[in-house]
Amino acid sequence: MKHLLLVFLGGGFGSVLRYLIGKYLNSAETGIPYGTFAANILGSLLIGIILGLAAKNDTLTQNQTLLLATGFCGGFTTFSTFAYETHVFLKSGDFTSFAIYTIASFVVGFLAVFLGMFLVK
């Protein structure tokens, strides 16, 4: 039960922060989801750091890892919103934004995880 509470609390904080970032960074004028991109990349960097610390000499406890990686990063990042936003690009015929957003999200996201893990080495 304690583990569920830790994930719940972390996920709640992560979701609220993602909402605020999206509210202030997503552009209604251009339709470009800067907030979702920023949250996903920052979340990828954070999970790399968190899991890198957890793997490094057991720096983080299982409870801390559940709170931060599973909870916070799970709530903060969002694949479902990313998938919807790419759908919107395709539906509007904006294939350039679709390609740039999709490729950048995957490539920069992976690089951010690797960077996070590298930083804690």
Side-chain angles (χ1 to χ4, degrees):
M1 188 63 159
K2 180 181 179 180
H3 292 164
L4 292 176
L5 182 60
L6 289 169
V7 172
F8 174 77
L9 289 173
F13 283 114
S15 295
V16 168
L17 185 57
R18 175 175 32 95
Y19 166 76
L20 292 172
I21 288 174
K23 182 178 178 180
Y24 291 105
L25 294 182
N26 284 350
S27 175
E29 293 174 8
T30 64
I32 299 175
Y34 295 113
T36 305
F37 182 78
N40 285 339
I41 300 309
L42 183 57
S44 295
L45 177 65
L46 286 173
I47 205 165
I49 291 170
I50 292 162
L51 294 179
L53 286 172
K56 182 181 179 182
N57 302 323
D58 295 322
T59 305
L60 295 177
T61 66
Q62 179 186 16
N63 288 341
Q64 291 169 324
T65 303
L66 283 172
L67 174 74
L68 298 172
T70 306
F72 181 81
C73 289
F76 184 59
T77 59
T78 173
F79 187 78
S80 57
T81 302
F82 163 77
Y84 171 74
E85 290 164 347
T86 58
H87 165 77
V88 170
F89 284 137
L90 287 174
K91 187 175 177 183
S92 69
D94 189 352
F95 300 111
T96 302
S97 293
F98 165 79
I100 292 170
Y101 182 54
T102 302
I103 293 168
S105 292
F106 282 112
V107 172
V108 178
F110 285 125
L111 291 174
V113 169
F114 294 135
L115 175 63
M117 296 190 86
F118 175 78
L119 290 173
V120 298
K121 272 190 166 185

